[in-house]
Amino acid sequence: QKEVEQNSGPLSVPEGAIASLNCTYSDRVSQSFFWYRQYSGKSPELIMSIYSNGDKEDGRFTAQLNKASQYVSLLIRDSQPSDSATYLCAVNGRKSSNTGKLIFGQGTTLQVKP
Amino acid sequence: KAGVTQTPRYLIKTRGQQVTLSCSPISGHRSVSWYQQTPGQGLQFLFEYFSETQRNKGNFPGRFSGRQFSNSRSEMNVSTLELGDSALYLCASSLESSGDTEAFFGQGTRLTVV
């Protein structure tokens, strides 16, 4: 079982729709969760962080965390073609061997069609 | 506020050579982590430095090494380059441990080994 799992996609949504990106993780003691956006040929850009169960909203983005289900998601409302990118879920590694590092999923490619 | 600066942006090296990559973190950030990104493996953790000490190391051979200076700038070195070392090398800067607080990536160094 991978430590952080994401559906690789591509996830295709029409412009203006809600895009829903999902991520599951295996380490029950993980405390910090991050979503990064990576455009082709560029480096990852942090778009959301979430540390507590529930929802966190920032503009068109909402991160949702459910630690009991070991599940974190990212919703993008009013999707725009400029949102087309790969979205990476990252989880902190709390086991002693994982201290100080982020564990990344393989990423979900989002395509927003005009 | 200046972001994370990585130099050089691009490198072409020959098998067997060695290479040194540099990372200047965001001012005030004490943690620097390095990641390797390849199409097949995704983002893989190399190591993390905090206050000039390596706190964790990923599953990479000893040819990969790094250090951090008193001003938090970090370098990573790869000796005896192999074709498989061709990748995007990313440096992430964070205030404290990159697993617990938000980490911001530099633009990366794209290394090609021929």
Side-chain angles (χ1 to χ4, degrees), chain B residues 5-114:
Chain B
T5 303
Q6 288 189 247
T7 57
R9 292 289 311 280
Y10 303 92
L11 268 177
I12 300 176
K13 290 287 188 179
T14 305
R15 273 181 299 174
Q17 288 187 311
Q18 74 166 19
V19 66
T20 299
L21 312 181
S22 178
C23 172
S24 292
I26 294 169
S27 178
H29 283 195
R30 297 194 294 167
S31 170
V32 173
S33 297
W34 289 88
Y35 292 82
Q36 180 196 67
Q37 187 174 34
T38 58
Q41 297 298 316
L43 270 154
Q44 300 287 311
F45 172 79
L46 280 156
F47 25 66
E48 186 209 19
Y49 287 89
F50 184 86
S51 294
E52 301 179 67
T53 300
Q54 185 184 91
R55 294 204 295 191
N56 201 358
K57 190 176 192 302
N59 294 324
F60 280 83
R63 300 184 296 108
F64 292 81
S65 62
R67 58 178 175 169
Q68 186 180 34
F69 302 96
S70 58
N71 62 358
S72 294
R73 190 178 71 85
S74 178
E75 290 181 346
M76 68 163 282
N77 184 77
V78 188
S79 62
T80 320
L81 285 166
E82 300 177 359
L83 295 178
D85 297 333
S86 295
L88 179 65
Y89 289 88
L90 293 159
C91 158
S93 159
S94 58
L95 199 58
E96 298 293 334
S97 166
S98 65
D100 294 331
T101 58
E102 294 178 337
F104 301 90
F105 284 92
Q107 291 180 296
T109 295
R110 185 162 297 280
L111 172 65
T112 302
V113 182
V114 297

Side-chain angles (χ1 to χ4, degrees), chain A residues 42-64:
Chain A
K42 303 293 185 182
S43 64
E45 173 193 9
L46 179 67
I47 52 173
M48 290 288 285
S49 59
I50 187 166
Y51 304 95
S52 304
N53 278 329
D55 296 358
K56 178 182 178 182
E57 186 175 319
D58 184 0
R60 295 187 297 113
F61 298 97
T62 299
Q64 300 174 316

Side-chain angles (χ1 to χ4, degrees), chain A residues 1-84:
Chain A
Q1 181 191 8
K2 290 184 180 177
E3 293 179 277
V4 179
E5 294 206 54
Q6 295 181 256
N7 188 324
S8 61
L11 172 65
S12 183
V13 301
E15 183 175 356
I18 296 175
S20 178
L21 304 161
N22 304 314
C23 172
T24 58
Y25 60 94
S26 61
D27 186 352
R28 287 191 167 275
V29 299
S30 294
Q31 295 294 324
S32 308
F33 307 86
F34 308 92
W35 283 99
Y36 287 85
R37 176 176 63 197
Q38 186 172 27
Y39 293 112
S40 181
K42 303 293 185 182
S43 64
E45 173 193 9
L46 179 67
I47 52 173
M48 290 288 285
S49 59
I50 187 166
Y51 304 95
S52 304
N53 278 329
D55 296 358
K56 178 182 178 182
E57 186 175 319
D58 184 0
R60 295 187 297 113
F61 298 97
T62 299
Q64 300 174 316
L65 175 61
N66 184 326
K67 290 185 180 179
S69 300
Q70 295 174 239
Y71 176 91
V72 59
S73 65
L74 179 70
L75 300 178
I76 306 175
R77 289 181 300 280
D78 188 24
S79 295
Q80 301 297 310
S82 58
D83 294 327
S84 297

